[in-house]
Amino acid sequence: LGEDALTEILARLPCRSLARFQCVSTSWRRIISSDYLRRRLPLITSGVLYHDGPRGGGGDDGARRAYTYARAPDGGGGVAEAGDMGFFPRHDSSTIIDGCNGLLLYYASRPTAFHVVNPTTRRWAALPAPRARTLLSVLAFDPCASPHYKVVCFTGWLPRGATMEVFDSERGAWRDHEVDFGLDTDTMSATMHYFGGALHVLAYSSHVVRVDLDTMDCAVTALPAPVSCRARAGHCRGRLRFASSDGTRLRIWELKDAGASEWALKHEIGVNDVVPGGSSQAITFLFMAFHPEREVVYLWSPWKLLAFDMVERRVEEEWMFGSEKEGAHLIQIWLFPFSRHLANALA
C-alpha cells in the first residue's frame, strides 16, 4: 500500500490499535506519529477528575481528599476509573486547583509548593516556590503546540490590573509581570479559559478580557449576555465561544469580530432537548466544555456526564457515575487529541 492509502486506513482505527501498530515497522511508526495523521484522528476521550472522599472537617482525612481520575471509555456506558491519585506528592494540606488539556495544577500550603501532574502518565514535576503570596493560580497548556506549560499566579490587584508571576517550564523559572485589564479589577471573575497562548477571563457584567501570555497585552470584548456563575468561555474550531445557562436552558454564541464585539447565536438547547419529556423542575444540567472541533458540548447532570450533539440535537454519549457516587463532587473536564505531546510533557 502507498502511504496515502495506509494513512486513510489508519485514521479509521481505534487508538488502542494505533498504539500497537507503531511496533509493526519504522515506516508505520513514522506515519502514526506524524502531525498529519494526528489532525485526522478523533479525540481520545473526555476526562473527569472528582473526589468522593471527605470534603470537610479536620484531621488527616479532611486534608487529603480522595481524588479519582476517570475517563469515558469508547462506546459510552459507565465510567472507567483510572485509579485514585495516590501517586500525588503528599503534604499536610493540599488540593487540585486547576486543570488544562490533560495536566493538573496541584497546590500544597504546608510547605508552600506547586506541582504539575500528568494523570495519564502518572508523573509529576515540582515547581520552585513563587516569590510572592499567590491569590489566584491558573495552568496554561496546549499539548498540540508544545510539551511545555505555564503556571500563572496573580500576586496582587491594581485598580485596573494585576501583578503576576508566570512560571515557564521551558525556562524553569518565574518571571514578574504587570498587566492592565482595561476594566476595573472589581469586575473580573475567577472564570478563565486558556487557548492559543492567551487567558480569556470573564468579567462582570458582560465582558471577556484576553491576556496574551507572551506580551502581557490585554484586549476587552463585550459579551452578548451577562456573566453569571454558570457562564463559561471556550473555543470550538479555533473560534471563541460563550455559553450562558440558567440550569434548564443553554445558549451558545460565537465571536465573529472581536474588534466590533460582534457575536452570533449558534445554538440554544433546553431540558426537553437533552431529556425528551423531562420536567424542567426536576432536571437541571451544567455546561462543562466545548468539543474543540465538533458541534458537541459536554454537560453534567446528576449523576452523569453527557455529550450532546447540537446539530442532531441528541445525546451522543452518556456516562453514568452510579448511585454509589452520590457524594462525588465533579472538579474538571478536559479534552485532548491522540498525540504523544501529552506523554512528552515534563510533568
Side-chain angles (χ1 to χ4, degrees), residues 2-175:
E3 285 196 4
D4 290 343
L6 182 58
T7 299
E8 290 298 318
I9 295 172
L10 293 174
R12 290 164 170 78
L13 296 178
C15 295
R16 183 183 296 272
S17 297
L18 287 174
R20 292 173 53 213
F21 292 162
Q22 290 183 97
C23 301
V24 170
S25 66
T26 56
S27 61
W28 280 41
R29 183 180 182 86
R30 176 177 53 80
I31 294 172
I32 293 173
S33 302
S34 69
D35 287 334
Y36 174 75
L37 182 61
R38 287 178 184 144
R39 289 193 295 268
R40 294 284 309 279
L41 296 171
L43 297 181
I44 292 178
T45 185
S46 55
V48 181
L49 182 78
Y50 64 94
H51 68 73
D52 52 4
R55 293 198 295 272
D60 188 66
D61 288 342
R64 299 181 181 179
R65 295 176 174 177
Y67 291 106
T68 300
Y69 166 55
R71 55 184 175 81
D74 295 336
V79 173
E81 296 185 1
D84 64 25
M85 312 300 278
F87 62 94
F88 276 18
R90 292 298 189 182
H91 299 275
D92 289 340
S93 180
S94 57
T95 187
I96 294 169
I97 57 177
D98 195 23
C100 185
N101 291 321
L103 295 188
L104 301 173
L105 182 60
Y106 174 94
Y107 175 74
S109 59
R110 294 193 302 273
T112 302
F114 284 101
H115 297 78
V116 175
V117 181
N118 188 333
T120 301
T121 61
R122 302 177 72 84
R123 290 182 291 165
W124 53 271
L127 276 59
R131 292 179 291 273
R133 183 172 67 94
T134 298
L135 305 175
L136 180 66
S137 303
V138 184
L139 177 64
F141 174 59
D142 182 355
C144 293
S146 169
H148 302 289
Y149 54 84
K150 293 182 179 180
V151 176
V152 181
C153 291
F154 292 84
T155 57
W157 305 121
L158 305 173
R160 291 171 60 86
T163 56
M164 299 162 36
E165 285 189 64
V166 179
F167 177 84
D168 188 326
S169 67
E170 187 171 16
R171 297 186 179 94
W174 295 91
R175 287 190 177 182

Side-chain angles (χ1 to χ4, degrees), residues 228-268:
S228 69
C229 62
R230 296 179 182 270
R232 295 291 185 270
H235 276 77
C236 180
R237 296 174 177 171
R239 287 185 173 271
L240 180 64
R241 292 195 173 185
F242 175 68
S244 178
S245 171
D246 59 6
T248 59
R249 181 156 294 276
L250 175 68
R251 293 178 176 86
I252 295 172
W253 288 267
E254 183 175 271
L255 182 62
K256 297 298 184 182
D257 185 341
S261 297
E262 179 185 347
W263 297 80
L265 181 63
K266 291 287 291 184
H267 303 284
E268 184 173 352

Side-chain angles (χ1 to χ4, degrees), residues 290-343:
F290 293 102
H291 192 295
E293 296 176 359
R294 299 176 55 220
E295 297 296 328
V296 172
V297 292
Y298 291 80
L299 309 173
W300 171 255
S301 181
W303 301 98
K304 57 188 175 183
L305 181 68
L306 308 172
F308 186 83
D309 187 320
M310 294 181 290
V311 175
E312 300 293 335
R313 302 187 73 81
R314 64 180 179 84
V315 175
E316 184 177 79
E317 291 185 277
E318 179 177 307
W319 302 288
M320 300 295 298
F321 278 71
S323 59
E324 71 277 7
K325 297 294 189 296
E326 287 187 4
H329 175 65
L330 189 65
I331 297 175
Q332 184 72 31
I333 180 173
W334 58 78
L335 301 164
F336 50 91
F338 176 81
S339 170
R340 288 189 190 164
H341 290 309
L342 185 61

